Amino acid sequence: MINLRNITLRRGAKVVLSGASVVLHPGEKVGLIGRNGAGKSSLFSLLAGRLHADAGDIEFPPRWRIAEVAQEMPEAADGATDFVLQGDRPLVDAQAALAAAEAAGDGHAIAEAHLALDEAGAFDARARAEAMLLGLGFRSGELDAPVHSFSGGWRMRLQLARALMCPCEVLLLDEPTNHLDLDALVWLEAWLKRFDGLMIVISHDREFLDAVTRVTVHLDEGQLTRYTGNYTAFEEQRSERLQLAQAAYAKQQERIAHLQKFIDRFKAKATKAKQAQSRVKALARMERLAPVLTASDFEFEFREPASLPNPMLVLDGLDAGYTVDGVPKVIVHGVARTVLAGQRIGILGANGQGKSTLVKTIAGALPPLAGRLTQGKGLAIGYFAQQELDLLSLGDGALMHLVRLARDVGPPAREQELRDFLGRFKFGGEMVQQPVGTLSGGEKARLVLAMLVWQRPNLLLLDEPTNHLDLTTREALSIALNEFEGTVLLVSHDRALLREVCDEFWLVTRGGVAPFDGDLDDYQRWLLEVSR
């Protein structure tokens, strides 16, 4: 087992852990949760040996192997399957031993190397790696494509597959769902449920945590608190603890006030002086309980749209896709749908079927290849793209981004009004001038949300808006979308958000778009049937 005892860990001047303790047992599925910046990734680095504790002891079985997803973007020319196979260290070592033994002509070493290859499962290793890639959304024609030919999100999927390929006793996963579509997420959940080692996962996807974890460790104010159960069970238990702690604190405050009142009243009275002094000592001996302080909730709302055209959009025989070297490549064709005011539409579909292409075409980022796209009079689109965070000016602060938006897109405003507005999104004081390049992924996503809200849209096109949002911000987004008076088209792998926001679904499949008659559970069953 892993035993952390009274661990103190500092990152610069910041204390990440302060006398923290927790025990993790073999085979447990653990969700590590806490607000952004609490130190979850630092704890992973401590477990992996990249950081060392400033105080305390860590018991870690010496023979336990750790696998984790590398965060750097690979630039290798190796094929995708070969790159994933390199994550299987016992297999790679056995192959190297065989090559060395054959070069030396050492028959005994060759026999040992073949035995090691057999123990590493070399006979079906490539098939396992290919099945893993297909499960994570790669197409059969991409299995041998060079790593550097894939985009950033797909390379991170390759890093995930490489980590899963490695035999280990401890698997560390830091936000593994960020670059996955819903179909790949369903596959990953099934794989992790079969994993028999100790798994520790950082995630802000509550349904994913509920599906794969059975223990929750909460990192808060430098302390680690272990809860039995998944994320939903944690919420219930923590709520009970907070209520009990608040009640105990309130009761103690009443006792302190009663003692202090007696002291103040009788400390100058000779006949009561000794009694007053005893109460002073009682106050000094009393172990003061801290008030229950939880991280302040984040909330925001979309402004009331200036108008609500109905219908918002009419898609008539629409072909969506790209133009490559002057040749149109249609991904989705013949779309005939009408979008009405107030609709909440979730766009579903397996990876690569054209969900993002359809949304980009509706947003005007891609021109229609055929057919017509008719916008209602007064339509104002707010578009959150997957790559939106990459389009921010890294050298400019949040205020400069909003100043440009107010000037170029509108509505115009004075600087103080823009500062007040950013304050609602937790950009206050000097932080509004802090270069975006130094912000966390969650802070950048909040800035993009702020820019979206400022434009006062009546149609929201959201393509994976939750990738960098913590649980608190995701819940705030869900509430804001439910209160939004306009229309929402949402692509997301966050099933909690889809369930809470959408009341109907479109299914993008086989080059077309059709209404999906069912809920998300029906869709997951459909995905499993398709994969079979």
Side-chain angles (χ1 to χ4, degrees), residues 95-127:
Q95 289 172 335
L98 178 61
E102 289 176 341
D106 186 338
H108 181 69
I110 289 174
E112 287 187 337
H114 277 291
L115 179 61
L117 284 170
D118 184 56
E119 291 176 347
F123 72 96
D124 69 342
R126 177 164 288 272

Side-chain angles (χ1 to χ4, degrees), residues 164-362:
L164 299 182
M165 193 70 190
C166 181
C168 63
E169 285 72 38
V170 182
L171 179 61
L172 304 179
L173 297 176
D174 191 347
E175 295 288 2
T177 66
N178 268 4
H179 300 282
L180 301 184
D181 293 326
L182 192 50
D183 50 332
L185 180 55
V186 171
W187 177 89
L188 178 62
E189 283 180 1
W191 192 95
L192 292 176
K193 287 175 183 176
R194 296 193 301 270
F195 176 67
D196 57 7
L198 168 61
M199 179 196 75
I200 310 174
V201 58
I202 299 170
S203 177
H204 295 300
D205 185 331
R206 62 183 305 146
E207 290 213 14
F208 174 73
L209 288 171
D210 277 350
V212 302
T213 65
R214 295 296 174 265
V215 174
T216 300
V217 173
H218 185 211
L219 174 51
D220 184 48
E221 302 296 336
Q223 296 297 308
L224 294 170
T225 307
R226 177 186 167 109
Y227 295 82
T228 299
N230 57 21
Y231 182 79
T232 297
F234 154 76
E235 279 194 320
E236 294 170 352
Q237 294 174 55
R238 177 162 167 76
S239 176
E240 291 172 1
R241 283 194 183 192
L242 290 176
Q243 289 175 8
L244 290 172
Q246 187 63 50
Y249 175 74
K251 189 173 182 180
Q252 188 187 69
Q253 289 303 108
E254 289 180 8
R255 175 68 176 156
I256 289 171
H258 179 75
L259 291 172
Q260 191 65 51
K261 185 177 180 182
F262 186 93
I263 293 167
D264 294 341
R265 185 178 177 185
F266 295 113
K267 64 183 176 182
K269 200 170 185 178
T271 58
K272 297 283 188 177
K274 287 186 178 180
Q275 294 179 38
Q277 191 60 37
S278 70
R279 282 161 173 75
V280 170
K281 292 178 180 178
L283 269 181
R285 288 195 304 269
M286 190 179 293
E287 182 180 351
R288 299 294 178 96
L289 298 176
V292 178
L293 299 175
T294 58
S296 58
D297 291 335
F298 170 65
E299 59 183 15
F300 71 98
E301 61 183 8
F302 289 95
R303 298 176 168 188
E304 182 182 352
S307 63
L308 288 175
N310 198 19
M312 291 258 180
L313 288 171
V314 177
L315 313 180
D316 186 9
L318 181 74
D319 285 3
Y322 302 86
T323 300
V324 182
D325 297 327
V327 179
K329 181 181 180 182
V330 178
I331 307 297
V332 182
H333 61 83
V335 181
R337 308 294 305 160
T338 299
V339 180
L340 303 175
Q343 282 188 295
R344 301 284 194 274
I345 302 170
I347 302 178
L348 307 175
N351 175 66
Q353 292 296 311
K355 301 186 299 294
S356 293
T357 302
L358 175 64
V359 171
K360 286 178 182 177
T361 305
I362 294 173

